[in-house]
């Protein structure tokens, strides 16, 4: 079965990719992922704050405590709490490139254009085949309107785009006032890919200790439908290739993502939970599923349930929401 796909301009043997996270910290795990059929490797992010902090420490050691980035404070990790420092990160890119043949994608994570983005170029020089830019931002400033937040992200994408020659993917959250419009404006900055969607950390409150709880729960498949809707809406309407991230665990999650329009399917929680071999299982099950449903290739299926091509395009819109609420009956 032909599982090949094109993502970020790469001809990949199949759509399954371990997403950004701790999986690529360990070279043995990276090898096991490639053996299991990973079509590419995405490394964890290097953070804007980490880079800026390190530079502040280098250039003005005595001023470090005065550093006041938007989210700085007691929650800001100290440099030794990051898994990889900036130099170690670049070294890890070189090491991974030595042990795998598939494309290696690095990740930058930040919110403002500026000097820290020179790491995009450094990652390219270290051997990265592509870069994922994670623009995780929380718009908490009531004085800042949506356009200003969006423009800042687009400026950042343009800055990185012009600094590197390797393909650039932008990893987005769904929390924009008019996501379709934003995605189209972003697409004009010519990223090679969009990754839908960042999974936001959500706070809980420890009512005894009066603290905000910091717990990272792995995802499950219930997080996928939000991604499916927007993949389906963007598929065929943007130049960028599309990757899904968030809630892909089973072969049916993979099939749905591709039908909605994903060129690549990223997974983190599922691989952390089951180990790298899960990738091989999904790949086999995907082949089997396509054969049983008489597809000749994965490409034949891709986008078949996008809003452009599915039999009922309104299915992704308000009409279906009304229908669902009105037709609900107790079991
Ligand atoms: C432990 C952990 C670390 C992560 N680190 C990063 C990161 O450094 N950069 C990033 O863009 N996403 C990071 N993510 C988010 C994942 O790449 C992914 O988008 C998210 O977990 C949703 O996919 P999943 O449902 O397959 O887990 C991390 C996720 C986990 C669980």
């Amino acid at each position: 079965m032909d599982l090949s796909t094109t993502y970020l301009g790469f001809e990949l043997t199949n759509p399954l990719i371990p997403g950004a996270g701790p999986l690529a910290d360990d070279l043995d795990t990276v090898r096991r992922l490639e053996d299991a059929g990973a079509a590419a490797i995405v490394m964890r992010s290097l953070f804007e704050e980490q880079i800026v902090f390190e530079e502040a420490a280098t250039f003005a050691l005595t001023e470090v405590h005065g550093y006041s980035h938007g989210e700085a404070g007691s929650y800001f990790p100290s440099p030794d709490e990051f898994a990889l420092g900036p130099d170690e990160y670049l070294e890890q890119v070189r090491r991974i490139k030595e042990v795998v043949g598939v494309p290696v994608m690095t990740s930058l994570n930040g919110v403002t254009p500026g000097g820290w983005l020179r790491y995009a170029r450094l990652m390219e020089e270290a051997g990265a085949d592509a870069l994922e830019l994670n623009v995780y931002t929380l718009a908490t400033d009531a004085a800042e309107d949506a356009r200003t937040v969006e423009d800042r992200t687009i400026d950042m994408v343009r800055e990185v785009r012009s600094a590197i020659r390797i393909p650039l993917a932008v990893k987005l959250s769904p929390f924009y006032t008019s996501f379709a419009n934003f995605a189209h404006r972003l697409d004009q900055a010519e990223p090679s890919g969009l990754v839908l969607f960042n999974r936001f950390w959500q706070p809980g409150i420890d009512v005894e200790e009066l603290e905000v709880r910091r717990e990272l729960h792995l995802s499950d498949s219930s997080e996928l439908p939000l991604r499916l809707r927007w993949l389906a809406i963007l598929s065929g309407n943007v130049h960028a290739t599309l990757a899904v991230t968030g809630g892909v665990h089973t072969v049916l999650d993979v099939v749905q993502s591709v039908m909605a329009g994903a060129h690549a399917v990223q997974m983190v929680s599922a691989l952390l939970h089951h180990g790298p071999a899960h990738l091989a299982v999904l790949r086999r099950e995907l082949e089997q599923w396509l054969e049983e449903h008489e597809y000749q290739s994965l490409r034949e299926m891709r986008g078949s349930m996008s809003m452009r091509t599915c039999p009922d395009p309104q299915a992704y819109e308000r009409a279906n929401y009304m229908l669902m609420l009105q037709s609900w009956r107790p079991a």
Side-chain angles (χ1 to χ4, degrees):
M1 176 58 65
D2 176 9
L3 296 183
S4 68
T5 182
T6 307
Y7 175 58
L8 307 181
F10 297 105
E11 291 300 318
L12 303 180
T13 53
N14 75 85
L16 305 177
I17 298 178
L23 287 154
D25 292 352
D26 173 58
L27 289 183
D28 188 47
T29 307
V30 172
R31 278 193 204 97
R32 286 167 60 209
L33 286 165
E34 188 184 39
D35 290 347
I41 301 290
V42 188
M43 291 175 64
R44 68 162 64 245
S45 299
L46 197 55
F47 291 83
E48 172 180 358
E49 292 84 345
Q50 203 184 346
I51 295 168
V52 174
F53 194 96
E54 174 144 317
E55 283 172 354
T58 307
F59 296 118
L61 259 178
T62 52
E63 299 292 322
V64 166
H65 63 277
Y67 171 68
S68 64
H69 191 274
E71 288 192 26
S74 59
Y75 289 103
F76 191 81
S78 63
D80 56 351
E81 282 175 284
F82 286 99
L84 295 168
D87 291 341
E88 285 169 301
Y89 192 100
L90 298 175
E91 194 46 44
Q92 182 72 353
V93 180
R94 293 184 196 101
R95 285 202 208 101
I96 295 176
K97 283 294 294 176
E98 278 169 19
V99 300
V100 291
V102 292
V104 176
M105 305 178 181
T106 52
S107 169
L108 278 175
N109 192 320
V111 291
T112 46
W116 74 280
L117 287 172
R118 72 193 169 79
Y119 267 82
R121 182 98 188 94
L122 294 177
M123 286 172 171
E124 179 176 18
E125 284 169 5
D129 297 293
L131 172 70
E132 202 173 89
L133 181 64
N134 183 331
V135 294
Y136 183 123
T137 184
L138 277 172
T140 52
D141 181 354
E144 202 170 53
D145 65 14
R147 185 80 179 193
T148 308
V149 176
E150 291 174 8
D151 285 351
R152 189 165 51 233
T153 299
I154 292 170
D155 286 349
M156 195 162 64
V157 171
R158 284 192 201 287
E159 193 169 323
V160 176
R161 187 55 290 157
S162 65
I164 57 173
R165 287 182 299 267
I166 54 176
L168 170 67
V170 185
K171 184 168 177 179
L172 294 168
S173 86
F175 301 118
Y176 292 91
T177 310
S178 173
F179 182 73
N181 173 268
F182 175 59
H184 277 87
R185 291 181 57 224
L186 192 64
D187 195 43
Q188 284 159 15
E190 298 183 6
S192 306
L194 299 178
V195 185
L196 312 183
F197 283 120
N198 244 325
R199 197 166 165 253
F200 265 50
W201 166 77
Q202 308 293 3
I205 294 175
D206 183 328
V207 296
E208 300 299 334
E209 300 297 326
L210 296 182
E211 281 174 0
V212 176
R213 283 204 313 260
R214 194 168 54 224
E215 291 164 359
L216 201 162
H217 298 284
L218 297 182
S219 73
D220 59 46
S221 298
S222 68
E223 297 191 21
L224 186 63
L226 171 73
R227 279 86 181 161
L228 295 178
R229 163 176 286 122
W230 286 105
L231 284 166
I233 292 170
L234 294 189
S235 178
N237 288 317
V238 288
H239 297 293
T241 50
L242 301 171
V244 65
T245 178
V248 177
H249 288 255
T250 67
V251 69
L252 288 184
D253 296 336
V254 177
V255 168
Q256 291 183 80
S257 302
V258 175
M259 282 186 171
H263 298 83
V265 175
Q266 296 190 357
M267 277 171 291
V268 175
S269 293
L271 298 177
L272 289 176
H273 189 68
H274 299 288
H278 187 59
L279 228 142
V281 173
L282 285 184
R283 191 185 159 143
R284 241 187 345 266
E285 290 180 352
L286 180 60
E287 278 179 338
Q288 225 168 24
W289 194 94
L290 288 165
E291 272 160 26
E292 281 167 15
H293 292 78
E294 298 181 359
Y295 285 93
Q296 303 304 313
S297 67
L298 185 94
R299 286 178 205 265
E300 188 189 339
M301 182 173 77
R302 202 189 68 74
S304 56
M305 287 299 288
S306 74
M307 211 162 126
R308 276 187 154 204
T309 50
C310 86
D312 179 10
Q314 283 198 327
Y316 291 108
E317 295 188 329
R318 183 175 159 82
N320 217 5
Y321 150 79
M322 288 187 293
L323 192 66
M324 219 159 34
L325 296 189
Q326 293 302 315
S327 60
W328 186 85
R329 302 283 177 272

